[in-house]
Amino acid sequence: MYIGLISPAKDPMGHAISDYYKQGKAGKLRVFSSRFDEDEIPVTQLFRPFEEFPELEKTAIEMASGRILDVGAGSGCHSLALQAAGKEVCAIDISSLSVDIMKQQGIKDVRLVNLFDEQFTGPFDTILMLMNGSGIIGKLEHMPAFFRKMKLLLAPGGAVLMDSSDLRFLFEEEDGSYLIDLAGDYYGEIDFRMKYKQIEGEPFDWLYIDFMTLSLYASENGFKAQLIQEGEHYDYLVRLTPDLNPTSKSSNS
Ligand code: SAH
């Protein structure tokens, strides 16, 4: 699991965010993966206002309450929406370029820190992980460490609100069956690399996880996963809360 920060020299997305904020436009933010063809992230999308949020994100912003943590906040679009709604938010990111732009945009509590940094503590009532927020977990093997961190950061009664996608549609055959190698790595574990102008980032792992698999890992790690809403394309919003009653489950198995 990655626990460091990204330096500006290796931060394509940070430069794209910075250019767009300062100049009103940016070049192409290119995305590469061994699993997909080259793709592009529209930089304007990183600055989306509340009206342009996908429904799942709108729901998460409306549900968020108390002291809120915006994990991997990027340009700060969700933190701005939360502040505008009078909510209390702390935005964190590992990109110093993005953190600077968030401060310039007037987000009051912004910190340059990795979610998994041991020095970073709560408590928070809501932890928001949006735009395939499960990505930051990186790989399935990091699930125990992820849930341990959530337990440490959450205030009593608090919850994680996270969105993710089930990538099984990538393996769908014409007859509607799925061709998935169950002996291989989990199909939602994706390696990415980004490039902006001449700036190349380090490769990183990004996890897409289906709801059933997430629920299993949650219960193994003392959490409950509740499906809040499904999106239009295999995406969904989930609420993760510590399971206060973990033993009661075995009675119906
Ligand atoms: N949530 C924003 C940005 C998503 S891009 C939005 O919806 O627009 C993902 C962001 O997470 C990037 O800005 C990246 O720098 C940050 N990030 C990645 N790993 C992180 C970690 N371990 N801790 C904190 N931020 C992280």
Side-chain angles (χ1 to χ4, degrees):
M1 192 153 49
Y2 185 65
I3 59 165
L5 301 174
I6 330 179
S7 72
K10 300 220 161 175
D11 187 5
M13 184 184 269
H15 279 281
I17 285 177
S18 183
D19 279 3
Y20 189 87
Y21 183 69
K22 291 178 182 159
Q23 297 155 20
K25 60 179 176 18
K28 268 191 178 189
L29 180 56
R30 300 161 69 191
V31 184
F32 306 88
S33 167
S34 66
R35 307 277 295 279
F36 306 116
D37 293 336
E38 180 181 339
D39 203 0
E40 200 185 308
I41 300 180
V43 182
T44 84
Q45 227 176 65
L46 296 173
F47 285 85
R48 58 203 181 281
F50 182 81
E51 308 77 67
E52 288 169 28
F53 288 178
E55 289 306 314
L56 299 183
E57 293 185 357
K58 286 185 179 164
T59 302
I61 297 300
E62 279 158 6
M63 286 177 72
S65 64
R67 185 168 183 241
I68 302 160
L69 176 66
D70 184 2
V71 178
S75 79
C77 60
H78 297 117
S79 290
L80 285 172
L82 291 162
Q83 271 188 193
K87 299 186 184 188
E88 183 191 347
V89 61
C90 169
I92 64 168
D93 207 287
I94 54 176
S95 156
S96 61
L97 291 165
S98 296
V99 160
D100 277 352
I101 299 305
M102 286 198 269
K103 288 181 180 159
Q104 290 182 44
Q105 294 221 74
I107 298 169
K108 292 175 202 140
D109 185 1
V110 185
R111 301 186 205 170
L112 176 63
V113 70
N114 191 305
L115 174 68
F116 300 108
D117 185 331
E118 278 183 20
Q119 311 290 318
F120 181 62
T121 56
F124 296 97
D125 300 293
T126 305
I127 299 179
L128 278 185
M129 299 179 72
L130 296 178
M131 193 170 159
N132 196 68
S134 65
I136 285 176
I137 303 165
K139 283 184 174 276
L140 281 186
E141 68 192 55
H142 300 151
M143 278 295 177
F146 167 70
F147 282 110
R148 266 201 307 279
K149 185 72 196 193
M150 294 301 105
K151 210 165 275 177
L152 280 173
L153 288 178
L154 281 174
V160 180
L161 295 173
M162 179 167 94
D163 64 350
S164 195
S165 287
D166 182 351
L167 291 192
R168 85 187 132 95
F169 64 87
L170 294 173
F171 306 92
E172 193 168 356
E173 301 286 287
E174 277 176 13
D175 64 1
S177 66
Y178 295 94
L179 197 64
I180 291 173
D181 175 10
L182 292 175
D185 290 340
Y186 174 62
Y187 63 82
E189 293 182 341
I190 306 292
D191 61 293
F192 282 121
R193 216 159 35 82
M194 290 197 271
K195 188 172 177 184
Y196 177 75
K197 294 181 172 168
Q198 288 316 307
I199 301 139
E200 287 186 38
E202 298 284 356
F204 60 93
D205 298 317
W206 200 248
L207 179 68
Y208 296 81
I209 186 167
D210 66 280
F211 179 71
M212 279 307 293
T213 305
L214 178 61
S215 305
L216 286 170
Y217 277 91
S219 73
E220 270 176 19
N221 290 282
F223 272 73
K224 279 195 299 202
Q226 181 192 357
L227 183 63
I228 300 291
Q229 194 178 339
E230 290 187 280
E232 284 168 11
H233 196 65
Y234 297 88
D235 50 333
Y236 65 92
L237 178 70
V238 61
R239 181 170 183 269
L240 300 167
T241 47
D243 191 350
L244 303 173
N245 222 343
T247 48
S248 63
K249 241 193 312 285
S250 57
S251 59
N252 42 11
S253 64

